[in-house]
Amino acid sequence: MTLNGCHVMAKPSSSVCNIDCHYCFYLEKEALYPERKQNWRMSEETLERYIRQHIEAQDSQQVLFAWQGGEPTIMGLPFFRNVVALCEKYGQGRQIQHALQTNGMLINDEWARFFSEHHFLIGLSIDGPQALHDTYRVNRAGAGTHHKVMAALATLKAHHVAFNTLTVVGKHNAAHALEVYEFLLAAGSRHIQFIPLVERLSTSNDSVLNLVLPGESAATLAPWTVPSWQYGEFLNQIFDVWIRRDVGRVSVQMFDVALAAWTNQPPVLCVHSETCGHAFALESNGDLYNCDHFVYPEHLLGNIHQQTIHTLNHSEQAIAFGEAKRETLTADCLKCEYRPVCHGGCPKHRFAVSPSGHPGHNYLCAGYKHFFKHITPEMNLLADVLAAGYPAETVMSVLQQKNQVGLPVQRNAPCLCGSGKKFKKCCGV
């Protein structure tokens, strides 16, 4: 991302939500704003200021608005109708896009018609089949929410709303990789995000928040945290199916991350970019933070009622935060063969000690290494297929030929991609 542009994750309802996910890292942020317990909604003044400033802060014709929470739909449809009207007012011919992450509890035909009419991309949170999903994703009474999520999904599909699914990978579902993946495909998801669940609980009596920043030592892993190696194994099991069956029809974000690195394309995810610092979180009162995983007083950049997003994007604090991602890599990271793919992962997760004894190492390192090492042969092949000018799905035919009845590839045989060339002159190069 260029310095002249930025991404903002707006939280118009702050941390307020209509369900009570036990593992949610954002629900407790209400402790930072006790005065807003009765007045948590983003005001019309703040909303208008945000929309105008966010559009002005971009150097591209395309402007993306990302709405999260808490739960953004509890703001109500009139709020988002106003969002669309304000974007038309300040758009100045720009191509405005909207993405909204939701738990699905309030999605009905009226919401779905609105999303369809205004081309919202909807991210739906679902952790797999009912038994897995309902482990942590429950309502205020402690009852599971899976049935309502599935109803929301059916409504979105009925109205042809573009959607993707976001699955949190924690201790509750990490051992069920293929079950989760096949469930998501059967539900109709073709754009899938797997987010590793990593949190630490404070052991200090003086902490305002239960969940701590990476640099704090008085902490212990939350019981729902995914074991590092197991996260990599979760991805590996799904990759082995995807690379042989689903290339070209299913997009898995972590596989897209790898492919971008293997083909020398820009990173598709801030977690695995060399630097960060320009993907902000906007609280409902206009406070702008470095990142939604760093909504702590130490990382407050300012308020859009006093300074513009453009100014805060170019601030020394924002720039320093982003460059620190690259400058604080451990010695183990610097010499790692997968650094060009991983770039040390998210700074939030850099609280472990590296194998050679350096602090500030990424907790998920073992899992990332396990994943990147496992996929290397197939990713090399996929990169070669693309470099030769063939569509990505060609790799499935090549792998089929390589593995057919256990026989070695006949390099002088016609290539299964259908080019008419011999395998050794085509996908076998």
Side-chain angles (χ1 to χ4, degrees), residues 131-196:
L132 300 176
H133 176 94
D134 286 348
T135 302
Y136 291 122
R137 299 191 66 82
V138 298
N139 63 22
R140 298 289 181 183
T145 60
H146 189 269
H147 64 293
K148 290 199 121 180
V149 178
M150 295 305 293
L153 183 57
T155 301
L156 293 173
K157 290 195 292 186
H159 290 273
H160 307 289
V161 177
F163 73 94
N164 58 41
T165 52
L166 187 154
T167 299
V168 172
V169 182
K171 269 194 175 178
H172 61 304
N173 59 1
H176 304 274
L178 294 182
E179 182 183 358
V180 170
Y181 182 59
E182 298 296 357
F183 169 81
L184 294 173
L185 294 189
S189 180
R190 294 297 180 265
H191 297 272
I192 300 170
Q193 299 178 54
F194 292 119
I195 309 299

Side-chain angles (χ1 to χ4, degrees), residues 399-408:
L399 288 171
Q400 181 184 14
Q401 182 170 332
K402 282 189 173 185
N403 297 323
Q404 192 171 23
V405 295
L407 296 175

Side-chain angles (χ1 to χ4, degrees), residues 1 6-15 25-26 42 50 54 58 64-70 72 99-102 166 193 195 253 269-271 278-295 304 309:
M1 179 179 294
C6 63
H7 178 78
V8 178
M9 187 179 293
K11 297 176 179 286
S13 64
S14 187
S15 60
F25 72 94
Y26 213 82
M42 179 178 284
Y50 163 55
H54 184 54
Q58 309 308 315
L64 174 65
F65 283 88
W67 306 97
Q68 290 206 7
L100 185 145
Q101 187 68 38
T102 179
L166 187 154
Q193 299 178 54
I195 309 299
Q253 189 181 61
L269 189 64
C270 62
V271 170
H278 304 282
F280 307 122
L282 181 75
E283 262 288 331
S284 63
N285 70 338
D287 282 350
L288 196 72
Y289 289 86
N290 281 121
C291 168
D292 86 314
H293 286 289
F294 284 81
V295 177
I304 64 171
I309 293 173

Side-chain angles (χ1 to χ4, degrees), residues 101-338:
Q101 187 68 38
T102 179
N103 57 35
M105 296 301 100
L106 298 179
I107 302 302
N108 56 22
D109 288 324
E110 187 179 13
W111 274 103
R113 281 193 294 268
F114 171 81
F115 291 147
S116 179
E117 179 184 356
H118 298 287
H119 308 291
F120 273 56
L121 172 64
I122 302 304
L124 191 65
S125 297
I126 184 165
D127 284 359
Q130 183 173 359
L132 300 176
H133 176 94
D134 286 348
T135 302
Y136 291 122
R137 299 191 66 82
V138 298
N139 63 22
R140 298 289 181 183
T145 60
H146 189 269
H147 64 293
K148 290 199 121 180
V149 178
M150 295 305 293
L153 183 57
T155 301
L156 293 173
K157 290 195 292 186
H159 290 273
H160 307 289
V161 177
F163 73 94
N164 58 41
T165 52
L166 187 154
T167 299
V168 172
V169 182
K171 269 194 175 178
H172 61 304
N173 59 1
H176 304 274
L178 294 182
E179 182 183 358
V180 170
Y181 182 59
E182 298 296 357
F183 169 81
L184 294 173
L185 294 189
S189 180
R190 294 297 180 265
H191 297 272
I192 300 170
Q193 299 178 54
F194 292 119
I195 309 299
L197 179 54
V198 179
E199 297 293 350
R200 293 190 307 152
L201 300 172
S202 174
T203 57
S204 170
N205 295 326
D206 301 326
S207 179
V208 175
L209 299 174
N210 291 320
L211 302 178
V212 301
L213 273 168
E216 297 184 36
S217 57
T220 184
L221 278 177
W224 46 78
T225 293
V226 63
S228 175
W229 186 90
Q230 193 172 28
Y231 176 62
E233 180 62 17
F234 178 95
L235 295 173
N236 287 351
Q237 291 182 23
I238 294 172
F239 180 85
D240 288 346
V241 173
W242 176 84
I243 194 68
R244 289 167 175 79
R245 191 190 71 189
D246 297 330
V247 177
R249 79 180 187 103
V250 179
S251 169
V252 178
Q253 189 181 61
M254 272 301 295
F255 305 163
D256 293 342
V257 166
L259 183 58
W262 252 266
T263 55
N264 298 311
Q265 299 298 312
V268 299
L269 189 64
C270 62
V271 170
H272 296 294
S273 299
E274 186 176 16
T275 61
C276 58
H278 304 282
F280 307 122
L282 181 75
E283 262 288 331
S284 63
N285 70 338
D287 282 350
L288 196 72
Y289 289 86
N290 281 121
C291 168
D292 86 314
H293 286 289
F294 284 81
V295 177
Y296 295 88
E298 302 92 322
H299 292 280
L300 175 62
L301 291 169
N303 188 287
I304 64 171
H305 288 274
Q306 283 81 49
Q307 295 170 286
T308 67
I309 293 173
H310 181 273
T311 298
L312 294 171
N313 184 38
H314 288 74
S315 67
E316 290 184 8
Q317 183 179 342
I319 295 170
F321 179 87
E323 291 182 347
K325 185 176 190 294
R326 176 185 58 212
E327 302 302 324
T328 57
L329 292 174
T330 63
D332 298 67
C333 274
L334 291 172
K335 64 183 181 184
C336 179
E337 62 182 305
Y338 301 114

Side-chain angles (χ1 to χ4, degrees), residues 16-36:
V16 176
C17 189
N18 53 358
I19 64 173
D20 193 20
C21 301
H22 296 334
Y23 59 54
C24 181
F25 72 94
Y26 213 82
L27 285 179
E28 69 167 10
K29 298 302 181 182
E30 64 181 6
L32 297 177
Y33 298 97
E35 74 282 1
R36 286 198 285 123

